[in-house]
Amino acid sequence: MDSPIPLPLLFLLSSPLLASLLSAQAPIITSITAPRQIVEAGGSVTLEVQATGATHYQWRRNGFAIPGATASTLTLAAAHPTKDNGWYQAIVSNQSGSSPATTRSAAIFVLVSSANYQVRHWGINKYGEGSIPAALSRPVGLAGGWAHSLAITAAGTVVGWGYQGPERRASPPAGLSDVVALSALTSYSLALRANGTVLGWGLNDYGETRPPAGLRDVVAIAAGYDHALALRSDGTVVGWGLNSSGQTTIPPTAVDIVAIAAGEQYSLALRADGTVVAWGLAKSGRTEVPATLRNVRAISVYMENSIALLDNRTLVSWGSTLNQRNEVPLGTLVQADLGLNYGLGLRPNGQVVAWGEVSLGGGVDPRFQEEVVQLVAANSFNLALVDTRSVIPAAPAAVTRDPTPQIVETGGTLRLAVLAEGSPSPTYQWLRNGQAIAGATSFAYVDPAIIKAEAGAYEVVVTNVIGTTTHTQKSAAANVEVVPTSRLSNLSVRTSLAPAQVLTLGAVAAGQPKTFLIRAGGPALNAFGLQGMADPRLDLYRGTPSPSGSNDDWNPALASVFQSVGAFPYAAGSRDAALNPSLTGAFTVEAKGTGPGAVLVEAYDVTGGITGRLVNLSARNQVGTGDDILIAGFAISGTGTKQVLIRAVGPGLTGFGVPGALADPRLAVFSSAGARLAENDNWGTRIGTATLATAANFSGVGAFPLNANSRDAAILITLNAGASYTVQVAGVNNTTGEALIEVYEVF
């Protein structure tokens, strides 16, 4: 008679707990498709994994999940290298428990082959790196080193050509077979075999051709300058070779990796979440991954430069900026690779676009019209796997995206780019104000240190030749404005006003509209020991007799604007006045009040930046004596220095019908610390070492002329940015009258 099952065990066998415990065991993969699959172009192949205890499947290509691929089989139809080449892996899981367990399958490498695929070369061919062996049959993958080329055949062998050297870098080891990937950068090469092992050959100064013993389960390889990387199927990275800058010391953040790249003493890894990790030598910005970089699908490096291909098929670059090597093309790409100081991108139609250094012939578009299915950029030479049956139809050169207008500070970098189509690939010629720019023959135009004289209208002419017919098209013009690195940022005038007296401020804003804060403080001055005007008013004029804006008592909602520009606060409910308009061009502000008292009128540039700037500030009022002289303050923001023309006009106002003009004004310029920087009495006579202003200076900034030998005052002075200054205007011998202070930007 069988013994009865104990109640506790009976409960366990019949409870959900046991089911949960059983389901938490990782599935066991029992069979998988052979690791090397060669599929005919246009044909199909089915990948399959079988596992016990599995409830869910997710197939990945090159580490990224394939949408909808959730069965035990995956069929690749209408095979094409750009969409199907790569390493595939099935993530098998048991998801019925509270803690699902997963198992990663071994990798399956898929390579698309065709009898019509051939290798093309362009660029330098000094050592035979472009002399493709006539016997090369069914190439399925390519790599290029410093002066040698490699190809994988459909049979799994490797063919090399070009410079050999004593290390025989173009001669793969005898018996090398079952190869699924190659990598080469300088004088050595790496091959990845379908069994997940790596073999190296060529120059071995730092052990770069000798992978660590026992290295297995590798799915991708990257040959750097003197070091190498391998990506394993579990998402971990292994490095070897020179480690002078920590380039082979894998950081703890390099987890769940799906792609790797190696350059000159630095390394990159792409995580499954679409972010990039960099480590090693930081020189030239090579490890400075853009902080906002996300949604990356592929990475490539060469020496000091890196690129990332995003989900939306656009490129982002970083690293050295020499030779325009970071000026990546506009539009969509399906593949991209970097060579020595240049890059190549593959358009969805199989056409190649190049950027960067062109002098050695590497960074140029190829002239053939066959569809490219794989491309490799190397040391000023390039290789492409082309489909000889598929010729890109001839199409006239056409601009599909015009260059965009730019505002650039003096000495800054101007970057313009155009997107053009055509077959054969178009050539480019950039124009400035209708004149061809020497050497500007790429889709991108870069001026690394622009000057004022280079402002203007930029266009590009795209050209190609179909048969004997030349086709050209000119882009729309992009206006480039060059602005100074420093700018006038605010003006303030403090004075005393009689009951019917008006203080007039003027300014000219150049460029795009800017937001200003304009204030008239009266009651606010009482806190500073002054007798402020009880109720000041502001009226804003923009070339019309009637005000375009007015304010009597300020709106408390502007308190945050006061704070943003560093203006002192007004008391809640006070009768001070404030306006917050958006302006461009010339404008005038009048400040007046209901009774006598001191008033401080201020104009602040709230927007800041370089999209627009103040180029002229002015204030007109009665000049008295003692504390009632005319005092104006202004600030210069930005960097560097700013040359300004400052004038104190008295006699010059009579020509405009201003009564009671100050007969002989004298001006002095002071620093914020109170140091006298310069002064002038009559504009044609120098005082001390101050620079005399000339009539040409007046016309150069658009100021009205002054009569020769008049007693108006003017001075030309260069001031540091990031500081504030004061201009005082008084009458010689304590004379009084109406005077105008003007501050002009000289640029």
Side-chain angles (χ1 to χ4, degrees):
M1 179 177 176
D2 295 334
S3 300
I5 300 174
L7 287 177
L9 182 57
L10 181 62
F11 169 76
L12 178 62
L13 292 174
S14 61
S15 71
L17 175 61
L18 178 61
S20 176
L21 290 173
L22 291 174
S23 64
Q25 295 178 357
I28 298 174
I29 295 175
T30 57
S31 67
I32 187 171
T33 302
R36 189 174 192 273
Q37 295 293 312
I38 302 298
V39 56
E40 190 70 19
S44 64
V45 64
T46 297
L47 313 182
E48 182 177 9
V49 62
Q50 294 182 2
T52 58
T55 61
H56 184 79
Y57 301 85
Q58 176 61 67
W59 286 91
R60 295 179 178 181
R61 174 178 178 252
N62 296 333
F64 291 103
I66 303 171
T70 56
S72 61
T73 60
L74 171 66
T75 298
L76 307 177
H80 189 278
T82 59
K83 73 178 182 69
D84 295 314
N85 274 8
W87 58 275
Y88 290 77
Q89 187 178 48
I91 308 300
V92 185
S93 62
N94 189 327
Q95 296 193 337
S96 61
S98 58
S99 300
T102 61
T103 301
R104 297 182 185 225
S105 76
I108 304 171
F109 300 90
V110 174
L111 295 168
V112 178
S113 172
S114 171
N116 299 293
Y117 287 176
Q118 294 184 12
V119 178
R120 297 284 183 262
H121 160 274
W122 70 103
I124 63 172
N125 188 26
K126 184 176 180 179
Y127 298 102
E129 56 266 53
S131 302
I132 301 156
L136 179 60
S137 175
R138 281 191 172 262
V140 293
L142 303 170
W146 201 253
H148 70 286
S149 303
L150 302 169
I152 309 172
T153 69
T157 59
V158 175
V159 177
W161 62 96
Y163 183 75
Q164 291 283 5
E167 66 277 359
R168 306 290 294 169
R169 68 186 71 170
S171 297
L176 180 61
S177 63
D178 217 19
V179 174
V180 293
L182 295 168
S183 184
L185 180 70
T186 53
S187 303
Y188 74 99
S189 306
L190 299 176
L192 172 61
R193 291 177 285 200
N195 65 0
T197 60
V198 179
L199 185 68
W201 68 94
L203 193 65
N204 189 42
D205 285 343
Y206 301 99
E208 53 266 52
T209 67
R210 298 293 181 264
L215 181 62
R216 295 286 187 275
D217 302 322
V218 175
V219 294
I221 50 177
Y225 189 77
D226 287 311
H227 77 289
L229 301 175
L231 172 63
R232 301 180 71 243
S233 61
D234 62 359
T236 59
V237 179
V238 177
W240 64 95
L242 182 66
N243 195 32
S244 57
S245 299
Q247 60 264 43
T248 66
T249 302
I250 313 304
T253 52
V255 294
D256 203 15
I257 302 302
V258 297
I260 51 175
E264 184 181 11
Q265 299 183 54
Y266 79 109
S267 304
L268 294 184
L270 172 59
R271 289 185 287 221
D273 64 1
T275 60
V276 175
V277 182
W279 64 96
L281 186 64
K283 181 182 177 182
S284 302
R286 60 190 85 181
T287 61
E288 296 175 5
V289 179
T292 58
L293 187 62
R294 299 289 187 275
N295 304 316
V296 178
R297 282 287 170 166
I299 53 176
S300 176
V301 307
Y302 198 96
M303 304 301 284
E304 300 178 322
N305 289 87
S306 305
I307 54 173
L309 184 63
L310 308 186
D311 271 342
N312 62 6
R313 299 304 182 186
T314 61
L315 279 182
V316 174
S317 67
W318 65 96
S320 175
T321 59
L322 295 176
N323 307 110
Q324 302 183 24
R325 61 184 80 170
N326 278 350
E327 303 307 315
V328 296
L330 302 174
T332 58
L333 302 171
V334 296
Q335 186 188 340
D337 197 23
L338 288 177
L340 182 64
N341 302 337
Y342 68 93
L344 300 177
L346 183 60
R347 299 286 191 200
N349 68 347
Q351 197 168 26
V352 176
V353 60
W355 67 93
E357 175 62 57
V358 301
S359 61
L360 297 177
V364 298
D365 298 335
R367 295 297 96 195
F368 52 80
Q369 290 179 253
E370 298 151 312
E371 177 196 359
V372 175
V373 297
Q374 184 194 357
L375 58 81
V376 170
N379 177 31
S380 300
F381 74 94
N382 309 299
L383 303 172
L385 193 61
V386 303
D387 186 345
T388 57
R389 299 170 307 173
S390 179
V391 176
I392 301 170
V399 175
T400 56
R401 191 183 305 175
D402 294 308
T404 57
Q406 304 286 325
I407 301 174
V408 188
E409 289 185 337
T410 305
T413 300
L414 169 65
R415 288 184 169 89
L416 296 170
V418 68
L419 180 60
E421 295 179 352
S423 180
S425 297
T427 59
Y428 305 85
Q429 177 61 63
W430 286 87
L431 313 175
R432 182 194 304 117
N433 298 325
Q435 300 299 310
I437 304 171
T441 55
S442 171
F443 67 85
Y445 173 70
V446 178
D447 185 337
I450 196 167
I451 60 175
K452 182 183 177 182
E454 294 171 332
Y458 284 74
E459 304 162 291
V460 60
V461 176
V462 297
T463 304
N464 70 353
V465 178
I466 301 175
T468 59
T469 303
T470 300
H471 299 270
T472 64
Q473 188 179 86
K474 183 186 290 186
S475 73
N479 185 63
V480 173
E481 181 182 358
V482 181
V483 299
T485 60
S486 55
R487 47 207 159 268
L488 301 169
S489 57
N490 69 53
L491 171 69
S492 62
V493 178
R494 196 198 80 194
T495 190
S496 295
L497 294 180
Q501 193 176 354
V502 175
L503 170 62
T504 303
L505 270 69
V508 177
Q512 298 180 16
K514 297 182 75 68
T515 300
F516 292 91
L517 172 65
I518 304 171
R519 310 199 306 175
L525 299 183
N526 296 334
F528 298 94
L530 300 173
Q531 185 61 47
M533 178 178 284
D535 190 6
R537 174 186 175 86
L538 286 172
D539 291 316
L540 173 66
Y541 295 88
R542 302 182 65 184
T544 60
S546 300
S548 62
S550 299
N551 181 259
D552 189 2
D553 298 333
W554 72 288
N555 186 340
L558 293 178
S560 61
V561 181
F562 294 2
Q563 185 177 15
S564 71
V565 297
F568 65 86
Y570 285 169
S574 76
R575 292 189 173 182
D576 303 287
L579 292 168
N580 189 211
S582 177
L583 302 169
T584 188
F587 61 92
T588 302
V589 177
E590 290 186 353
K592 58 179 75 76
T594 57
V599 65
L600 174 65
V601 179
E602 305 164 288
Y604 293 90
D605 175 1
V606 176
T607 306
I610 66 172
T611 56
R613 69 190 194 280
L614 289 167
V615 296
N616 166 235
L617 302 170
S618 62
R620 198 191 93 190
N621 194 36
Q622 179 74 15
V623 176
T625 60
D627 291 339
D628 289 333
I629 64 172
L630 183 56
I631 302 174
F634 65 94
I636 300 175
S637 61
T639 60
T641 60
K642 166 69 65 185
Q643 188 176 53
V644 292
L645 169 67
I646 304 175
R647 307 200 306 179
V649 182
L653 295 179
T654 59
F656 297 94
V658 177
L662 184 63
D664 190 1
R666 180 186 182 96
L667 73 80
V669 182
F670 297 86
S671 71
S672 59
R676 187 186 295 264
L677 302 177
E679 58 184 324
N680 181 259
D681 183 4
N682 301 324
W683 69 279
T685 303
R686 185 193 311 275
I687 296 179
T689 59
T691 302
L692 282 177
T694 66
N697 296 139
F698 299 167
S699 61
V701 297
F704 62 85
L706 298 176
N707 291 332
N709 302 318
S710 77
R711 293 187 174 181
D712 302 289
I715 197 167
L716 199 64
I717 187 170
T718 298
L719 301 170
N720 290 327
S724 57
Y725 302 90
T726 301
V727 180
Q728 295 183 4
V729 176
V732 174
N733 297 324
N734 288 325
T735 53
T736 62
E738 196 81 7
L740 172 69
I741 291 179
E742 299 174 296
V743 181
Y744 291 92
E745 171 189 272
V746 179
F747 177 63

